[in-house]
Amino acid sequence: MSAKRIVPEPQPRGPELDKRKAYILTTVVYEYIATAEPVGSATLTHKYNLGVSSATIRNEMAELEARGYLVQPHTSAGRIPSDTGYRTYVDRLMPPETLTPEENEHVRVEFAKAGRALDEIIEQTTKLLAQLSQNLAVVVAPSRDTQTFRHLQLIWLAERSILMVVVTTAGVAEQHVIEPETSVDPDDLTRYSNALNKRLSGKLLPELDYEAVEAALFDIRPHVQPSVIDGVARGLAATRRPEERRILFGGAHHLLDQPEFRDLKKLRSILDLVEEQRTLYQVILDSIEKGDAPTVRIGGELELDDMSECSLVTIPYRMGDRSMGVLAVLGARRMPYGRMMALVSATAGNLSQHLTDVALP
Amino acid sequence: MSAKRIVPEPQPRGPELDKRKAYILTTVVYEYIATAEPVGSATLTHKYNLGVSSATIRNEMAELEARGYLVQPHTSAGRIPSDTGYRTYVDRLMPPETLTPEENEHVRVEFAKAGRALDEIIEQTTKLLAQLSQNLAVVVAPSRDTQTFRHLQLIWLAERSILMVVVTTAGVAEQHVIEPETSVDPDDLTRYSNALNKRLSGKLLPELDYEAVEAALFDIRPHVQPSVIDGVARGLAATRRPEERRILFGGAHHLLDQPEFRDLKKLRSILDLVEEQRTLYQVILDSIEKGDAPTVRIGGELELDDMSECSLVTIPYRMGDRSMGVLAVLGARRMPYGRMMALVSATAGNLSQHLTDVALP
DNA sequence: GTTAGCAGTCTGCGAAAGTGAGTGCCAAGA
DNA sequence: TCTTGGCACTCACTTTCGCAGACTGCTAAC
């Protein structure tokens, strides 16, 4: 559940924060996340039990600013956390959070309602995550390449037209039309189907190339016409390029609630990112590390122009022990990190469990 | 290609517009669509060849306002068209528009690139329409109820677990898991599949209820266990409730380019509509009439709160001679209606053609 | 029926002034 | 050496005011 630090490497500026400085940094982050207003020394002494006067807080805050944890939007304003400040908060200061029992139950129920069709599950997950996070939810759908072959059926459509239906263990059924050079006997199609199912079931889709299909058919019929073998292999191994992997979005309208997106330019840059997909896909994939813990990237750590006001929380999900895709929440840098992490963890956990449950044997 | 009038009934206020008034109304609409600024009498005399002075135009505009075609945002501003003004423009004054040969070619090429999978086609169409219209594109996906059954295959998974794959003529393959009360012999599954394919192919999915399945199996096996019949029938006829029909959106970010959505409230109300789906679905379906012509609903005609600044252009699309769904463009009321209508016509035409081409025999 | 001219209205913009939140620093106190 | 009250200062934000500009409606003349 602990976040991974990605970029940049922590710069040890002077000694560790002492207890009071750590507490002040914590309260500033907490208060700023809650109010979206720069936090002043008086606010802290009033709202939190610090035991010292505002003047002392001022001194401490000046020090925290000098060390790079806080910044002042302008001379006569309170402080807001810098990327480093947020990073320290997330990694070391933040209290661990969990969802309420009701929320956990809600997530559980939503997944219990979900069907078996992969597309539908993924779509519902996106909606759920958007609703819970009140931010932009992003889901990278499973790659076809991680799915294993379960069953196929060749169906005679017309003289030179064969329909091939492929079922994967993820419960995805897709169809391809094969147009052989010369007509094939319908009974042969059934024999081909049986042979292929027997030999290839359980293999990863990308492995099923021309040679694999030819070999699987060899026993029952050494000289199947190449156009059929080719058609079958294409249908099985046909894979989208990775950058074309499906990405789903949900809850963009929640962004309008955040004061940071009152500024149309910032809203624009985030929506453009959504539109472009490729960049976002790259960033999300870069964020993922081994293991099932959520990863946080804060502001400038995203290394995207115009995204310095945003943060991204990502977590992988799986089917069985195979990684399938990624859930992410993209929102203002001023987001409740603890809650977001608890939330993506719970969602990813339930999603993984559900996918594993509905996987075909 | 001519728009349908929906709501409200035209109120014949006084005589028809004379030629000059009609021309002035046309130029006001045209100019306002182009500039988003209220149009004054001086602007018209300068930019258009009216042959009379601005004072005359003022008199005419006052008359047009009195008759309900124009309104003044405030006393000392120029005029903008009212719903009635736009309606008159769309129905009677607007010059017919067509896409440029390059644009037509672009649309053609995009569809030529599209695959055979229904989901993919619909998704790409949404993107294309958003890109061309530079507005919010909305696509109501085909209902499962309009598709005919083409093929099914029952596949033995485990002792009490059968996978049923269903293929429709729209080229959609979907899978359902059936859990019979007692185990079924794998060879029997093949026999069932063959019988069902032979008897039911070509029927509409919603017709395939318990009785239909039972009857189709009766010849080969009079007493198939009810749990299997029920499972098959559910898988075939299983239909989402109509209000759960899938709706796709694209190009929401284009709205940010329109000056009318600088105001976050208006942006908000349109995004909320998108989120809610049900209302929008209803409005889009209400808009559709018989025939393949685009339908326009302007501002208040939508009868939606907070949508008085928006217009909707809708058009149905089909596969073969069966209506499948609706394309729509939702944007500011100040939209280039002629172009939008040409655009949805072209897109729907190509989409219908493509769907018809890829339909399974 | 058309036109020039003029008074009147309203918006939008920028400057000026006032308000308030919050800081930094200093000198005294613990 | 750390803490604190006090004070001067800074800067954003808001309000007000006045002015320029865009348009209209109306009237009287053509």
Side-chain angles (χ1 to χ4, degrees):
Chain A
M1 179 71 110
S2 93
K4 302 289 158 51
R5 179 185 292 110
I6 312 276
V7 219
E9 274 304 292
Q11 314 129 335
R13 310 198 194 202
E16 286 277 312
L17 295 179
D18 61 45
K19 211 168 167 186
R20 190 168 70 190
K21 284 200 183 60
Y23 186 55
I24 291 173
L25 176 54
T26 307
T27 50
V28 169
V29 174
Y30 186 86
E31 185 70 14
Y32 183 61
I33 286 174
T35 64
E37 296 290 332
V39 183
S41 55
T43 312
L44 288 192
T45 46
H46 290 146
K47 288 207 191 173
Y48 299 88
N49 193 14
L50 288 157
V52 290
S53 76
S54 65
T56 307
I57 306 295
R58 279 202 288 284
N59 291 332
E60 294 285 53
M61 284 170 107
E63 173 101 20
L64 282 167
E65 180 169 1
R67 291 220 237 154
Y69 294 99
L70 298 178
V71 292
Q72 254 181 316
H74 57 86
T75 323
S76 67
R79 258 82 174 198
I80 64 177
S82 66
D83 284 356
T84 311
Y86 279 118
R87 171 54 64 200
T88 308
Y89 176 77
V90 168
D91 285 352
R92 288 162 33 211
L93 304 176
M94 181 175 73
E97 264 185 77
T98 53
L99 300 190
T100 66
E102 295 77 40
E103 287 172 326
N104 265 316
E105 181 62 12
H106 178 197
V107 175
R108 214 188 52 69
V109 167
E110 284 298 312
F111 277 102
K113 281 196 299 196
R116 307 182 71 105
L118 188 59
D119 280 357
E120 228 171 277
I121 296 170
I122 294 296
E123 215 168 305
Q124 300 231 8
T125 304
T126 311
K127 279 190 186 162
L128 178 64
L129 191 56
Q131 185 218 323
L132 290 170
S133 70
Q134 297 286 302
N135 267 297
L136 182 68
V138 187
V139 175
V140 179
S143 158
R144 212 172 162 285
D145 290 0
T146 60
Q147 297 179 36
T148 52
F149 170 63
R150 181 64 182 76
H151 188 92
L152 72 69
Q153 189 72 30
L154 296 169
I155 300 161
W156 191 91
L157 282 183
E159 234 359 78
R160 283 185 36 212
S161 182
I162 300 168
L163 179 68
M164 173 169 79
V165 176
V166 179
V167 180
T168 70
T169 46
V172 172
E174 45 182 47
Q175 94 296 339
H176 306 266
V177 173
I178 299 171
E179 289 166 345
E181 287 192 348
T182 60
S183 186
V184 181
D185 180 67
D187 289 340
D188 274 351
L189 288 183
T190 309
R191 284 185 206 107
Y192 295 173
S193 302
N194 293 341
L196 291 167
N197 286 329
K198 203 160 164 188
R199 297 302 199 79
L200 302 182
S201 192
K203 297 232 190 282
L204 275 172
L205 288 179
E207 294 172 3
L208 304 178
D209 56 7
Y210 189 96
E211 283 72 31
V213 173
E214 188 176 34
L217 291 174
F218 192 82
D219 282 353
I220 63 151
R221 196 67 52 93
H223 297 299
V224 176
Q225 61 169 298
S227 59
V228 171
I229 297 178
D230 186 59
V232 171
R234 277 175 196 278
L236 287 171
T239 191
R240 298 177 171 197
R241 275 159 296 162
E243 68 268 24
E244 284 182 11
R245 227 165 129 178
R246 230 176 127 214
I247 302 186
L248 292 85
F249 298 93
H253 67 293
H254 291 311
L255 295 177
L256 296 180
D257 292 328
Q258 307 298 337
E260 23 273 277
F261 297 113
R262 290 286 150 71
D263 178 4
L264 282 185
K265 277 204 190 131
K266 283 177 192 142
L267 192 60
R268 186 54 168 280
S269 57
I270 204 168
L271 288 188
D272 284 350
L273 192 69
V274 166
E275 203 66 20
E276 211 227 315
Q277 298 214 351
R278 199 163 306 193
T279 314
L280 188 56
Y281 173 74
Q282 207 49 56
V283 172
I284 289 180
L285 252 63
D286 286 354
S287 301
I288 286 304
E289 304 201 340
K290 303 267 177 267
D292 284 341
T295 304
V296 178
R297 294 184 77 176
I298 298 165
E301 295 175 5
L302 286 168
E303 292 177 325
L304 291 176
D305 291 344
D306 309 318
M307 285 289 134
S308 53
E309 295 278 344
C310 298
S311 284
L312 181 72
V313 181
T314 51
I315 191 166
Y317 63 88
R318 47 188 69 247
M319 174 180 261
D321 53 0
R322 180 167 290 140
S323 179
M324 295 296 268
V326 187
L327 304 185
V329 172
L330 181 60
R333 191 172 62 156
R334 185 188 60 78
M335 65 163 65
Y337 289 97
R339 182 170 165 73
M340 288 303 155
M341 289 166 73
L343 216 142
V344 296
S345 291
T347 310
N350 276 274
L351 173 58
S352 297
Q353 187 59 51
H354 186 73
L355 286 177
T356 306
D357 289 348
V358 302
L360 298 180
Chain B
M1 178 72 106
S2 94
K4 302 286 162 49
R5 179 184 293 108
I6 313 275
V7 220
E9 275 302 294
Q11 314 129 335
R13 312 197 194 200
E16 285 278 312
L17 295 178
D18 61 45
K19 212 168 167 186
R20 191 168 70 189
K21 284 200 182 61
Y23 186 55
I24 290 173
L25 176 55
T26 307
T27 51
V28 169
V29 174
Y30 186 86
E31 185 71 14
Y32 183 60
I33 285 174
T35 64
E37 297 291 332
V39 184
S41 56
T43 311
L44 287 193
T45 46
H46 290 147
K47 289 208 190 172
Y48 299 88
N49 192 15
L50 289 156
V52 290
S53 78
S54 65
T56 308
I57 304 297
R58 280 202 287 284
N59 291 332
E60 293 284 53
M61 285 169 106
E63 173 103 19
L64 282 167
E65 179 170 1
R67 290 220 238 156
Y69 295 100
L70 298 178
V71 292
Q72 255 182 315
H74 58 86
T75 325
S76 67
R79 259 84 174 197
I80 65 177
S82 66
D83 283 356
T84 312
Y86 279 118
R87 170 55 63 201
T88 308
Y89 175 77
V90 168
D91 285 352
R92 289 163 31 213
L93 303 177
M94 181 175 73
E97 265 185 75
T98 53
L99 300 189
T100 65
E102 294 78 41
E103 288 173 325
N104 265 317
E105 181 62 11
H106 178 197
V107 175
R108 214 188 51 70
V109 167
E110 284 296 314
F111 277 102
K113 281 197 298 195
R116 308 181 71 106
L118 188 59
D119 280 357
E120 227 170 279
I121 296 169
I122 294 296
E123 215 169 304
Q124 300 231 7
T125 304
T126 311
K127 280 190 185 159
L128 177 65
L129 190 56
Q131 185 218 323
L132 290 170
S133 70
Q134 297 285 301
N135 267 297
L136 182 68
V138 187
V139 175
V140 178
S143 158
R144 211 172 162 285
D145 291 1
T146 60
Q147 298 180 35
T148 53
F149 170 64
R150 180 64 182 76
H151 188 91
L152 72 69
Q153 189 71 30
L154 296 169
I155 300 161
W156 193 90
L157 280 184
E159 238 352 82
R160 282 183 40 209
S161 182
I162 301 167
L163 179 68
M164 174 168 78
V165 177
V166 179
V167 180
T168 70
T169 46
V172 173
E174 45 182 47
Q175 95 296 342
H176 305 266
V177 173
I178 300 172
E179 289 166 347
E181 286 192 350
T182 59
S183 185
V184 182
D185 180 68
D187 288 341
D188 273 352
L189 289 183
T190 308
R191 284 185 205 105
Y192 296 174
S193 301
N194 292 341
L196 292 167
N197 285 329
K198 203 160 165 188
R199 297 302 200 80
L200 303 181
S201 191
K203 298 235 190 276
L204 275 172
L205 288 180
E207 294 171 3
L208 303 179
D209 55 8
Y210 189 96
E211 283 71 31
V213 173
E214 188 176 35
L217 290 174
F218 192 82
D219 283 353
I220 62 151
R221 195 71 49 96
H223 298 297
V224 176
Q225 61 169 298
S227 60
V228 171
I229 297 178
D230 186 59
V232 171
R234 277 175 197 279
L236 286 171
T239 190
R240 298 176 172 198
R241 277 158 294 162
E243 67 269 25
E244 285 182 10
R245 228 165 127 178
R246 227 172 128 218
I247 302 186
L248 292 85
F249 298 93
H253 68 292
H254 291 311
L255 296 177
L256 295 180
D257 293 328
Q258 307 297 339
E260 25 272 275
F261 297 114
R262 289 285 149 73
D263 178 4
L264 282 185
K265 276 206 190 128
K266 281 174 192 144
L267 192 60
R268 185 55 166 281
S269 57
I270 204 168
L271 288 189
D272 284 350
L273 193 69
V274 166
E275 203 66 19
E276 212 226 315
Q277 298 215 350
R278 198 162 306 195
T279 314
L280 187 57
Y281 173 74
Q282 207 49 56
V283 171
I284 289 179
L285 252 62
D286 286 354
S287 301
I288 285 303
E289 303 201 339
K290 302 264 177 271
D292 284 340
T295 305
V296 177
R297 294 183 75 175
I298 298 164
E301 295 175 5
L302 286 169
E303 292 176 326
L304 290 176
D305 291 344
D306 310 316
M307 286 287 134
S308 55
E309 295 277 344
C310 298
S311 284
L312 181 72
V313 182
T314 51
I315 191 167
Y317 63 89
R318 47 189 67 248
M319 173 180 262
D321 53 1
R322 178 168 291 142
S323 178
M324 295 295 269
V326 186
L327 303 184
V329 172
L330 181 59
R333 191 173 62 155
R334 184 189 60 80
M335 66 163 65
Y337 290 96
R339 181 169 166 76
M340 289 301 155
M341 290 165 74
L343 217 142
V344 296
S345 292
T347 310
N350 277 272
L351 173 58
S352 297
Q353 187 59 53
H354 186 73
L355 286 177
T356 306
D357 289 347
V358 302
L360 298 179

